[in-house]
Amino acid sequence: MAAFQTLDDLADGQRVLVRLDLNSPVEDGAVQDNRRFERHAKTVRELADRGFETVLMAHQGRPGRDTFVSLEQHADILSGHIGGDVDFVADTFGEDALAAIDDLDGGDVLLLENTRMCDEELPEEDPEVKAETEFVQTLAPEFDAYVNDAYSAAHRSHASLVGFPLVLPAYAGRVMETEYEANTAIAQKEFDGQVTMAVGGTKATDVIDVMDHLGDTVDDFLLGGIAGELFLRADGAPVGFDLDPDLDLYDSQWEDNHELIEQILEENREKITLATDMAYADEDGDRTEMDVADIDEKTVSFMDVGTDTAEHYADVVRDSEAVFVKGALGVFEEERFSVGTVSVLEAIAETDCFSVVGGGDTSRAIEMYGMSEDDFGHVSIAGGAYIRALTGASLIGVEVLQRE
């Protein structure tokens, strides 16, 4: 499916420069272990076992933010996942980095410092511009090949992602390979039975773009989250607007997108399923539900689809041959408002269907609520790249791997 070379095409015994995406939550200065380390460890372990001299690049946070920290902790976390040493050097392409690279033996793994500590990394520029940066031109001669495993950052035209493939033989790592194949499958695979997509989250534009691009592929869109409430508003329900003028979740999105939402709803009504009941926190903080048909005026903040809606969505999933999830149907981080998201995920887990779950933090609900990733076809660790794949937008980090 993918017109790029993979690790299967990479001859053993070389020195390789590998781009991972280890960007992680940081709490009180401590980097949190997460699914990305586990996934990328497979690529790193394979390279080490095959005797490559393996040098890793990754980013963490952005300059000026609390999450913008060194990768020293990342090396320790990753070493635990690969079951071997991951050395670290607090330098990216200076003398210390070059010396550490030169000292490598076959099977060694070295992590360089945060790529975003390089001035030439971040600005979004053409790959040809990035290939000429001092960052790329200094590091590239030290290597035989470049491996990009950072699918979740593949929508970024940053030096470490798009510069090196223009000056080195380039390959896709195992995460890049599996994410690309799974996330492009919805547009490229053909299914005999029903194709369903649960679409939620906070951004109406994401939902609009996904529905616009996949309208011919998906038979039923199950809507929830803030986006789902905006579609209910377009359908005439008195919901989908802000109660607090200082908290702009709905109104500006409605102003920017209501004509398109109304058009999509009119043209695809038979393919769009909206919530029939909604959940909110009552005065005691308990989950309370009301039917959409009984709402005369929005006086509470809705945090989840209701139980009847969740059960109906789960029934639709069980009758589907393929199910894709983009975004949460409610604030699942709070257990009382996890019913919609968890009901859909549990139905997927117990159904023998082709499935891909991704978009933002939705995949975290699988672990939070005791489900196993093994019960899903693919759980994506990508956010922005996953959305772009679903909407048919190109991924520059993939495009440069596919160049002849």
Side-chain angles (χ1 to χ4, degrees), residues 260-307:
L260 197 49
I261 292 174
E262 291 164 349
Q263 178 184 334
I264 289 175
L265 196 57
E266 181 180 352
E267 294 176 356
N268 301 279
R269 195 64 183 83
E270 75 286 352
K271 289 189 171 188
I272 297 173
T273 304
L274 302 175
T276 56
D277 56 345
M278 309 279 282
Y280 61 96
D282 63 18
E283 293 178 354
D284 297 323
D286 296 326
R287 179 187 175 103
T288 304
E289 301 185 355
M290 66 170 64
D291 289 341
V292 172
D294 293 337
I295 301 173
D296 296 320
E297 179 184 359
K298 182 176 179 180
T299 58
V300 295
S301 295
F302 297 110
M303 308 294 279
D304 192 14
V305 298
T307 302

Side-chain angles (χ1 to χ4, degrees), residues 184 186-188 206-218 221 264 387-393:
T184 56
I186 186 169
Q188 297 182 358
D206 284 352
V207 174
I208 292 168
D209 290 344
V210 168
M211 294 174 73
D212 187 48
H213 182 67
L214 298 175
D216 293 334
T217 304
V218 176
F221 291 96
I264 289 175
I387 300 302
R388 290 184 69 87
L390 294 181
T391 58

Side-chain angles (χ1 to χ4, degrees), residues 341-358:
T341 303
V342 171
S343 294
V344 166
L345 291 175
E346 287 181 341
I348 295 172
E350 65 189 42
T351 305
D352 185 22
C353 64
F354 180 91
S355 61
V356 179
V357 177

Side-chain angles (χ1 to χ4, degrees), residues 65 166 183 229 248 341 377 382:
R65 298 182 182 177
L166 271 59
N183 295 340
E229 200 171 328
D248 187 5
T341 303

Side-chain angles (χ1 to χ4, degrees), residues 41-345:
K42 297 177 182 178
T43 295
V44 178
R45 192 184 307 116
E46 177 179 343
L47 291 169
D49 288 347
R50 287 172 56 182
F52 288 94
E53 297 175 18
T54 304
V55 178
L56 310 175
M57 296 186 295
H59 73 275
Q60 174 61 53
R62 280 182 176 268
R65 298 182 182 177
D66 293 341
T67 55
F68 186 60
V69 299
S70 168
L71 297 189
E72 186 171 5
Q73 295 179 62
H74 298 68
D76 291 335
I77 297 171
L78 185 60
S79 66
H81 283 282
I82 71 169
D85 291 337
V86 176
D87 295 324
F88 172 75
V89 59
D91 188 20
T92 309
F93 66 97
E95 291 183 3
D96 290 346
L98 296 178
I101 292 167
D102 198 48
D103 285 342
L104 291 174
D105 293 320
D108 288 349
V109 179
L110 172 69
L111 176 62
L112 303 178
E113 185 57 284
N114 191 340
T115 60
R116 291 185 175 176
M117 291 182 179
C118 301
D119 292 339
E120 297 173 313
E121 166 73 346
L122 271 181
E124 295 272 350
E125 297 170 311
D126 290 340
E128 289 75 14
V129 175
K130 292 302 189 185
E132 293 299 323
T133 59
E134 184 183 2
F135 175 24
V136 172
Q137 289 294 317
T138 302
L139 270 188
E142 304 296 320
F143 295 92
D144 301 304
Y146 168 81
V147 176
N148 191 346
D149 209 32
Y151 177 87
S152 50
H155 56 306
R156 304 293 189 190
S157 190
H158 296 160
S160 63
L161 295 158
V162 301
F164 291 100
L166 271 59
V167 297
L168 284 169
Y171 303 81
R174 296 307 183 196
V175 172
M176 174 68 77
E177 184 181 2
T178 56
E179 287 273 5
Y180 177 82
E181 291 181 355
N183 295 340
T184 56
I186 186 169
Q188 297 182 358
K189 285 179 75 81
E190 292 185 3
F191 301 100
D192 294 329
Q194 174 163 309
V195 178
T196 297
M197 186 162 204
V199 195
T202 61
K203 296 179 182 178
T205 50
D206 284 352
V207 174
I208 292 168
D209 290 344
V210 168
M211 294 174 73
D212 187 48
H213 182 67
L214 298 175
D216 293 334
T217 304
V218 176
D219 301 302
D220 199 347
F221 291 96
L222 311 175
L223 267 59
I226 289 175
E229 200 171 328
L230 289 169
F231 271 79
L232 279 171
R233 179 173 174 175
D235 200 40
V239 298
F241 55 87
D242 293 306
L243 297 175
D244 182 349
D246 295 326
L247 194 63
D248 187 5
L249 297 174
Y250 298 94
D251 291 339
S252 63
Q253 291 202 67
W254 175 258
E255 186 175 334
D256 293 340
N257 300 292
H258 72 91
E259 291 180 355
L260 197 49
I261 292 174
E262 291 164 349
Q263 178 184 334
I264 289 175
L265 196 57
E266 181 180 352
E267 294 176 356
N268 301 279
R269 195 64 183 83
E270 75 286 352
K271 289 189 171 188
I272 297 173
T273 304
L274 302 175
T276 56
D277 56 345
M278 309 279 282
Y280 61 96
D282 63 18
E283 293 178 354
D284 297 323
D286 296 326
R287 179 187 175 103
T288 304
E289 301 185 355
M290 66 170 64
D291 289 341
V292 172
D294 293 337
I295 301 173
D296 296 320
E297 179 184 359
K298 182 176 179 180
T299 58
V300 295
S301 295
F302 297 110
M303 308 294 279
D304 192 14
V305 298
T307 302
D308 287 347
T309 299
E311 290 177 351
H312 175 63
Y313 284 7
D315 287 341
V316 174
V317 166
R318 292 187 188 98
D319 289 335
S320 301
E321 183 188 353
V323 182
F324 298 84
V325 178
K326 182 270 139 190
L329 301 182
V331 186
F332 70 83
E333 292 87 351
E334 297 185 41
E335 187 172 0
R336 58 190 168 154
F337 299 124
S338 66
V339 174
T341 303
V342 171
S343 294
V344 166
L345 291 175

